[in-house]
Structure formats: C-alpha cells, structure tokens
Amino acid sequence: MSTILKTAFSLIGGILLSQSISAQKTEQLKSPDGNISVELKNNSGKISYDIRYKNEVFLEDSPLGLETSIGDFSKNLENSSFQKDHIESSYELKKAKVSHVDYIGNELVGKFLNSNKDTLIVKFRVSNRDVAYSYQLKSHEGKNSLKILNEKSGFKLPGDATSYISPQATPMIGWMGTKPSYEEEYTLNEKLNTPSKYGVGYTFPALFKNGNKGWLLISETGTDSHYPGCRLSEVKENRLFEIEFPQEGENNGIAETYAIQSLPASTPWRTITLGSTLKPIVESTVAFDLVEEKYEASIDYKMGRASWSWIVWQDPSINYEDQVEFIDLAADMDWEYVLIDANWDRNIGRKKMEELVNYANSKNVDILLWYNSNGLWNEAPQTPKDKMNNTIQRQKEMAWLQKIGVKGLKIDFFGGDKQVTMQLYEDILTDANNYGLAITFHGCTLPRGWEKMYPNYVTSEAVLASENLVFQQESLDKHALNATLLPFTRNTVGAMDFSPVFLNKRLSRTQENGTIRSTTEAFELATAVLYFSPIQHYGLTPNNLDEQPDYVLNFLKEVPSVWDETLYIGGEPEDFCALARRKGEQWYIAVVNAKKEKRQISLELPMLAGEKVNHIYDSKNTKASFKEEKIKKSGKIKLTLAAEGGAVLFTK
C-alpha cells in the first residue's frame, strides 16, 4: 500500500473515529447539592437522557426529540455544541403555596443538527428537587413557521416502579359530551403494565413510587397559546411512557392536534420532581421557576374565601332569595366572596343581578359569576353561554360585568387540550385582565404555571372534585382516601379548586336525603388547609352557623387562602397526609387519615417546638373538639385520629 493510500485511510479512519466519538458523546449535569444527576447522550444520532438520585436510577435511558414539518429531530442528529451555566434567581408570588422563591439550579444546553443543518436545542435545568427540559428549533434556511407533529420525549421507569396516575378520558363522553376534563380516579400503587381505563394514556401530573428508593412526579409547565396541552401515553415496551398530543376528537373535532408555531419555535417544559420521600414533590415550585409573567395586573386582585350555594343546595338555589342567604353567610364569616353558579341569567336576571351586587357590596362581599365556555365543543346547556368563546361578545360582557361591580368569573365546560383551546384560555385571561376580572376555570385542563404567567388567573378544577361527593355515595366513601392522594399529585403543581369543608351530615339542603358523610368534622376542617386554592369555595351552608361551636367558625373565619410557606410533614398515598402552611408568623398544620380505623400518628414539628397551639381534634360521633396544648421542646407530638378523621393545629 502506498504512503498516499495509508495517509488517506488514516485520515478517513480518524474522521470516522471522531464521528463515532461525537455520536456517543455524553454530557452530565448535576444538581447544586450533587444528589441529582442527568446524563444527556447521543447514541448513533438518537439523543436520550437518564436521571439518578443519590446514585439510584429514577429514570432509565429515555428518548428525546421532535418530529416536525421541516425535518425529523429524533434520529440522525449530529452534536453541535454543549454549554453549562449556573442559574440563580428570586421572585415573588401573590397567590400560591409560597410567596417567595430563591431558585438555584444548573443548566445544560445541547445543540444538535439534522441532515439539513437545522438546529434542535435541548435545554436541561436541574435544581435540588427538580429536573426539567424543553426544546427550541431554528431553521438553517430561514423558514418562518413549522408544525411540531410529534414529541419523542419519553420517561422510562425502573422495573419495580408503581403508579398513582389519572387516566385520560376519550373525547365527547360523559355528561353532555364534556370529557376529557381531568376528572378521573387515580390508580393506586398500580403495576406499570396495567392498561389505563380508557386505553389512551394518562393526564399530568403523574406520580410514581420508585420501589423503596423514593418518589418522582412527572408533569409539564409553561403551556400557553403556542402549544397544546400534553399527556402521557399508555405504557410502551420496557416501561416507557411517551409525550402525546391531544386526541383528534377533542373539542368536537375542531382544529389540529399538533403545535403550529413561527420560527424560532419552543416547547413547554417537561418536569420531573424526585426524592427519597414526598417532601420535594409537595414543596416543589418548578411549575413557576421556569416561566415568566406575561402581562401586568390591571388591578390588585384580591384572593380569599367564598360561600357557594350550588355545591350543596344545587340548581334550585340559583335564585335571588337564596343568594341573599349566602351573601349573608359570607358576611357573617368575614369571607370576601360569594360564587353564584349556572343559569343565574335565567333565574335571577341581569337587572336583579345588579341589585344583588349592590346588596353584597353593602355587606362588604364581592360577587363571582359562573359562565359556560361554549362554543361548539359539547352539549352542556347551562347559561350564560356563547359569551366567553367569542372575542366581541366576551369583551362586551366583561365591560358590563366591570360596570356593575362583579369581581371574577368561574368559566366551565372546556373541550380538550388542543392548541386552539389553550389559545382560548389565554384570550379569556387577557381580556379579563383588561376589565379587572379574576378567572377560575372548571371542566378544564391542568394549570401549567399559570398562577405566575397570568396575574388574574386564580384556580382550576381539573380534578374529580367535591361536586361528586354530592352526586354519588361512592365518591363520598372515598373522600378520606383521596385526601391522601391529591396533596401528593394534582395540588402539587398548581391551584386546585376542590372546594373543601362540608359540615352537614347529609349533603343536601334539608339533610333528610342525599349522600352521607363518614369523614369527621376535624377532617373536614383540615381540608381547608390541606387543599390549596387562592380563592377557596367552601361547602358550608347557612345552618352550619347555628350548629357549630365558635372555635369551628372562628377557625373558618381566619384560615388564609394563600400562603408564604408550605412544608411536607409526613404521609403517603392511601395512608395519611400531614402538611404545614405558614402565613406571616402563623402556622397551620393539617392532618388527615385515609384509614377506616382509629390510629395514632407521630409528627415532628420543629417550627412549633415549645409553643402553645390551638388544636381541633376528633371527638365522639365525628364531632370536632378544641383544646390548647403546648408542643414539646423536641417538636414532637402524637395525634389520635378517628377513622377517616383529622386534626388541625394552629398557632395563636
């Protein structure tokens, strides 16, 4: 062989070796405390990642990538560059489970080129609790737009993981075709190879128990009008869940399932919160850490507590006289709001509503009004409808609402997770801010960082909520069980309008019929702290003011709806849940028992060590009793909880 050929082969070999090394390049990113590590890999043109916590595998090698109209970014990718950075920032929240966040994390930005030299940017952020990643796309040829047709993002769970996840419903099923609406039951420590109820995957957030190693919660944040809301697929081969876009039939078939964006384009963040206990999951702020406020608040929106006739007294209560009773209830309880539900325009009328607003204001109470979101996406008949789905009608209606002094809206019956619906959510919020209206969504999608993104956004249902306690006995029988699921799942990532605290023994107006409550009164009071919503719509009825002792009513008059700090104290799904929340200098600790037998639970409360506290606890016949006691200097306390019981401790 000639010297020239030898040189040529040597050069070719060197190039191939270089390409091979490039193709197999691995970059590692660790959390500031070093406990969490992420490896970003390119293996023969396919990029992937894995996650470890304290050297234990929490996600095995999981795929990354996008399929788009300008090219496939899930294979044949060439490494371009990698860059690391350290991120520190601080921000305030006015209507969340915490009021101040100091975010510290490390960042890895990997750039990859496809065969057309278009760029896929994968950005990872790792804090001491969370891993998050998102994509950006840039066109080499300067194209203006693209379709993101599919995400290849995946999450491969270890072999002994089990799930606490809620199945996605198929389109146009349920009452008046109003599903999907994030209102399904959770799996209970289920093996990963079990098919979901409907066979179309699972909604976010998704909680997994990693054997005896710990827990991880998978979700997303930052979804707005530029992207559809996503979900997890059915489990694939080898315990892999993938990101999936909405189903074709959602929104009654209106619009596309995929994302359409101008270039450069970007995606929401995929988030994974993990640890050896549920503490990082309960306390995580990742939903807000990675997003920014989209516009300034037009007014200083007031959060607080609300009375709500419909939840127990149901449809017949939407009349002028009953609403006066619930305005008086709110005034007696020193609550800020009354929520008036569906068909108020028919049963009360617009002119009388103006009178009702004036009456409420004379009692220092403000009014929130219900609206149907529709449109074309389901058959829900309640009115007012065809007001919120059209820009012209919406702005006319909001101008009238502002004029008569209404302060907020509850908007119901959305049609799915397509990008067109995310645009509707954003349009409603943006218009409402121009008229000083706070917004609650029901029959809706999961909020994805919206408390920070939209200053007039308040809360969302997106859960099998308390109306089902009234509708069916089975839901009420599972009430205590679900109270040990939702604080570790749905409520960790955003505000949840479950509507807590039912003190009627039977959930009806007369209490002569209706579903029968088995939870204790102390349990019900604990849910006022356990469930977080910046405006909390309570299940109290006027008779409760005559039936309950002062210590119960005083607690409900004073308990905050927004918090400065939230801490995990103890518990797991299906067992018990104990959370602590602080407002100013005052602490509230809520504890609930999922079990149908009496038990003792030991807690450590170092923030209350040596302090005197008020204690509402289980007494006889599901009643709540009250005592003052002093916490030991060690901060330890042992509580006795009744079957499906609870307790509240709060400082003076």
Side-chain angles (χ1 to χ4, degrees):
M1 186 181 294
S2 70
T3 303
I4 294 174
L5 284 175
K6 286 181 180 179
T7 303
F9 279 123
S10 178
L11 287 170
I12 292 169
I15 292 169
L16 291 173
L17 179 61
S18 174
Q19 288 177 340
S20 175
I21 292 171
S22 175
Q24 296 177 12
K25 183 173 177 62
T26 297
E27 287 287 333
Q28 187 179 76
L29 183 68
K30 289 194 172 186
S31 57
D33 65 7
N35 287 330
I36 301 173
S37 63
V38 177
E39 284 198 350
L40 175 60
K41 303 170 243 186
N42 186 339
N43 188 4
S44 301
K46 291 186 176 182
I47 53 174
S48 62
Y49 72 104
D50 62 40
I51 300 176
R52 293 173 181 266
Y53 178 74
K54 294 184 177 179
N55 295 320
E56 296 283 359
V57 175
F58 271 63
L59 281 183
E60 297 179 6
D61 196 48
S62 302
L64 295 166
L66 301 172
E67 294 175 348
T68 81
S69 58
I70 67 168
D72 189 343
F73 295 89
S74 66
K75 58 187 178 183
N76 301 321
L77 295 177
E78 176 187 339
N79 296 335
S80 175
S81 67
F82 295 90
Q83 183 176 343
K84 293 182 181 180
D85 201 358
H86 180 71
I87 309 293
E88 292 191 16
S89 64
S90 297
Y91 61 90
E92 308 296 324
L93 295 169
K94 292 185 177 181
K95 46 188 170 63
K97 62 184 180 182
V98 298
S99 61
H100 177 84
V101 177
D102 292 316
Y103 176 77
I104 302 173
N106 293 324
E107 181 179 85
L108 170 63
V109 178
K111 294 183 179 180
F112 304 90
L113 303 178
N114 68 2
S115 57
N116 197 42
K117 302 304 179 184
D118 300 313
T119 303
L120 174 70
I121 300 171
V122 183
K123 182 182 291 187
F124 271 90
R125 288 272 190 93
V126 182
S127 72
N128 290 341
R129 293 189 291 231
D130 313 288
V131 175
Y133 65 87
S134 66
Y135 303 103
Q136 292 177 302
L137 286 166
K138 294 182 178 179
S139 167
H140 175 65
E141 298 174 350
K143 292 183 178 180
N144 292 323
S145 64
L146 89 164
K147 300 171 185 176
I148 300 177
L149 303 170
N150 188 28
E151 275 201 40
K152 302 303 291 185
S153 309
F155 311 88
K156 186 176 179 182
L157 278 296
D160 54 354
T162 53
S163 74
Y164 291 89
I165 48 181
S166 182
Q168 171 77 16
T170 50
M172 306 301 293
I173 65 170
W175 184 80
M176 293 293 178
T178 53
K179 289 189 178 184
S181 54
Y182 288 68
E183 296 178 80
E184 308 301 322
E185 293 189 20
Y186 279 81
T187 62
L188 299 176
N189 205 28
E190 192 167 82
K191 293 181 179 179
L192 299 187
N193 59 0
T194 308
S196 75
K197 180 177 179 180
Y198 300 101
V200 291
Y202 302 90
T203 60
F204 289 124
L207 178 66
F208 297 93
K209 187 175 185 180
N210 188 16
N212 60 3
K213 303 177 187 70
W215 299 83
L216 67 160
L217 185 85
I218 300 172
S219 193
E220 64 180 4
T221 191
T223 306
D224 60 12
S225 59
H226 296 91
Y227 217 78
C230 296
R231 69 184 193 277
L232 288 182
S233 68
E234 291 287 295
V235 66
K236 309 285 185 180
E237 202 173 324
N238 296 324
R239 308 175 308 282
L240 176 68
F241 293 87
E242 292 182 331
I243 290 287
E244 288 200 355
F245 286 164
Q247 302 161 83
E248 185 69 36
E250 292 182 28
N251 303 87
N252 206 3
I254 301 167
E256 305 295 344
T257 62
Y258 48 76
I260 304 172
Q261 290 192 30
S262 59
L263 282 161
S266 61
T267 72
W269 292 87
R270 311 294 164 217
T271 65
I272 306 103
T273 305
L274 63 157
S276 55
T277 72
L278 287 156
K279 181 178 175 65
I281 289 170
V282 168
E283 298 176 13
S284 174
T285 55
V286 69
F288 315 119
D289 296 337
L290 307 169
V291 302
E292 299 297 334
E293 187 175 85
K294 287 185 169 288
Y295 52 77
E296 292 185 3
S298 64
I299 64 171
D300 186 13
Y301 291 100
K302 178 177 65 176
M303 301 299 107
R305 294 76 46 84
S307 64
W308 181 24
S309 71
W310 183 88
I311 190 61
V312 176
W313 286 13
Q314 295 285 288
D315 291 344
S317 71
I318 309 303
N319 62 72
Y320 190 94
E321 293 75 19
D322 284 351
Q323 294 313 307
V324 166
E325 280 200 62
F326 276 81
I327 289 168
D328 292 343
L329 169 61
D332 289 341
M333 293 299 295
D334 299 327
W335 291 347
E336 292 80 3
Y337 294 106
V338 61
L339 170 61
I340 303 177
D341 218 278
N343 297 322
W344 59 265
D345 57 327
R346 296 175 183 172
N347 300 344
I348 298 172
R350 290 173 174 264
K351 186 64 179 176
K352 295 290 283 184
M353 182 55 69
E354 293 185 32
E355 294 179 20
L356 210 51
V357 172
N358 290 333
Y359 176 75
N361 291 167
S362 74
K363 296 275 190 170
N364 201 30
V365 174
D366 284 311
I367 281 184
L368 311 170
L369 287 182
W370 185 97
Y371 277 80
N372 192 332
S373 74
N374 256 328
L376 316 169
W377 31 89
N378 55 55
E379 297 297 325
Q382 287 90 341
T383 61
K385 63 184 298 185
D386 294 315
K387 300 291 186 185
M388 293 295 127
N389 57 296
N390 175 273
T391 303
I392 296 171
Q393 293 300 320
R394 182 168 61 241
Q395 292 181 0
K396 285 182 179 179
E397 189 75 0
M398 288 180 173
W400 174 73
L401 292 164
Q402 182 185 47
K403 180 182 176 182
I404 70 170
V406 170
K407 297 302 182 184
L409 307 181
K410 170 186 169 184
I411 305 176
D412 210 339
F413 300 134
F414 289 84
D417 279 335
K418 291 180 179 177
Q419 186 175 350
V420 67
T421 313
M422 297 300 156
Q423 177 76 63
L424 178 61
Y425 286 118
E426 189 168 272
D427 288 348
I428 289 172
L429 287 161
T430 305
D431 282 348
N433 184 58
N434 292 334
Y435 294 96
L437 295 169
I439 297 297
T440 288
F441 293 123
H442 266 233
C444 60
T445 194
L446 180 76
R448 294 161 166 90
W450 294 357
E451 292 99 312
K452 186 178 179 185
M453 293 163 65
Y454 306 106
N456 59 322
Y457 168 81
V458 178
T459 187
S460 294
E461 186 181 27
V463 68
L464 193 63
S466 58
E467 62 193 38
N468 294 280
L469 307 180
V470 181
F471 293 162
Q472 52 189 354
Q473 186 62 47
E474 182 184 7
S475 288
L476 198 50
D477 292 342
K478 295 179 178 178
H479 188 21
L481 169 67
N482 287 328
T484 64
L485 293 174
L486 300 179
F488 302 135
T489 52
R490 165 66 181 84
N491 214 182
T492 64
V493 298
M496 180 184 75
D497 194 22
F498 184 92
S499 302
V501 187
F502 294 83
L503 297 177
N504 289 347
K505 187 64 178 175
R506 302 193 74 154
L507 302 189
S508 66
R509 181 167 187 160
T510 64
Q511 299 190 67
E512 294 176 359
N513 52 24
T515 54
I516 302 170
R517 179 174 59 80
S518 56
T519 55
T520 68
E521 291 179 357
F523 171 99
E524 292 295 329
L525 296 173
T527 61
V529 177
L530 199 71
Y531 294 152
F532 167 69
S533 179
I535 293 180
Q536 197 79 279
H537 302 95
Y538 282 105
L540 261 65
T541 51
N543 55 288
N544 297 144
L545 273 62
D546 298 323
E547 298 166 352
Q548 291 295 330
D550 287 345
Y551 55 81
V552 168
L553 299 178
N554 289 338
F555 167 78
L556 291 171
K557 288 178 181 180
E558 296 170 3
V559 62
S561 66
V562 295
W563 304 96
D564 294 321
E565 189 175 358
T566 293
L567 298 177
Y568 168 81
I569 302 301
E572 290 188 1
E574 304 180 78
D575 187 13
F576 78 96
C577 179
L579 301 185
R581 302 192 194 269
R582 178 181 61 81
K583 182 67 174 177
E585 298 299 318
Q586 192 168 23
W587 282 98
Y588 288 78
I589 289 84
V591 190
V592 293
N593 174 25
K595 304 296 186 181
K596 295 186 181 294
E597 59 268 354
K598 184 178 179 180
R599 64 191 297 192
Q600 281 196 331
I601 294 175
S602 296
L603 302 178
E604 294 187 11
L605 306 172
M607 76 291 287
L608 301 182
E611 291 205 28
K612 290 182 179 179
V613 297
N614 299 311
H615 183 185
I616 296 177
Y617 62 96
D618 293 324
S619 186
K620 297 178 180 178
N621 300 321
T622 75
K623 293 295 182 181
S625 289
F626 174 85
K627 63 182 177 181
E628 296 180 355
E629 65 178 294
K630 188 173 183 179
I631 305 294
K632 295 178 180 178
K633 290 183 179 180
S634 65
K636 295 181 179 179
I637 186 171
K638 189 173 290 186
L639 301 178
T640 300
L641 305 181
E644 298 177 278
V648 181
L649 303 170
F650 53 104
T651 52
K652 298 176 179 295

